[in-house]
């Protein structure tokens, strides 16, 4: 699990940095301020949760239940896809219905953090 989530998290961070730079230099002049802010929110949450995926990799061998951490990691990965992905596409395309997908990603982020907390709690026993 360590290698898998380290790989996924690192690739996600590289993608997030690239998308952030692309947004700042390529998209900002083309998007409205509102759409650019939506795009930036996607990048911000993408970066935070790329770090969370790397965190899962680093602590996976230190906490008691690898199953909980496995699902925490995948919750973060899917959260990036649904949350940040929908915001990227929404901001560029203007298709507002994509905003209905974003909360699914937010819930997945929350689930990931709760699972990580449960993993920590189980390590106390």
């Amino acid at each position: 699990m360590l290698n898998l989530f380290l790989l996924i998290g690192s690739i996600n961070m590289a993608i997030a940095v690239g998308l952030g730079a692309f947004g700042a230099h390529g998209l900002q002049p083309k998007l409205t301020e509102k759409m650019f802010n939506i795009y930036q929110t996607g990048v911000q949450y993408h970066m935070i949760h790329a770090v969370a995926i790397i965190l899962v990799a680093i602590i996976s061998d230190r906490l008691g239940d690898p199953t909980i951490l496995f699902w925490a990691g995948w919750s973060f990965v899917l959260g990036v896809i649904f949350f940040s992905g929908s915001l990227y596409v929404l901001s560029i395309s203007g298709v507002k219905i994509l905003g209905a997908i974003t909360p699914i990603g937010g819930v997945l982020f929350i689930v990931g953090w709760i699972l990580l907390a449960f993993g920590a709690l189980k390590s106390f026993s």
Side-chain angles (χ1 to χ4, degrees):
M1 182 167 48
L2 174 94
N3 292 339
L4 176 64
F5 285 126
L6 185 57
L7 175 67
I8 292 170
S10 299
I11 290 170
N12 263 279
M13 186 56 87
I15 291 168
V17 170
L19 288 172
F22 173 68
H25 300 292
L27 289 179
Q28 187 173 14
K30 297 177 174 138
L31 298 178
T32 65
E33 183 178 348
K34 179 180 179 180
M35 289 299 159
F36 183 69
N37 288 338
I38 289 171
Y39 186 89
Q40 285 185 308
T41 299
V43 171
Q44 178 184 9
Y45 277 77
H46 193 161
M47 285 186 173
I48 290 166
H49 290 89
V51 171
I53 296 164
I54 293 168
L55 178 67
V56 166
I58 292 169
I59 64 173
S60 65
D61 64 338
R62 296 177 189 238
L63 293 184
D65 190 348
T67 304
I68 289 176
L69 293 178
F70 175 85
W71 289 112
W74 283 113
S75 293
F76 292 141
V77 170
L78 292 172
V80 167
I81 292 167
F82 282 96
F83 186 90
S84 296
S86 66
L87 292 181
Y88 296 146
V89 176
L90 166 65
S91 63
I92 293 169
S93 71
V95 177
K96 305 256 191 260
I97 193 71
L98 291 170
I101 297 170
T102 309
I104 296 169
V107 169
L108 286 164
F109 287 152
I110 293 166
V111 167
W113 288 112
I114 290 170
L115 288 171
L116 193 58
F118 279 136
L121 282 173
K122 285 189 86 170
S123 73
F124 289 120
S125 53

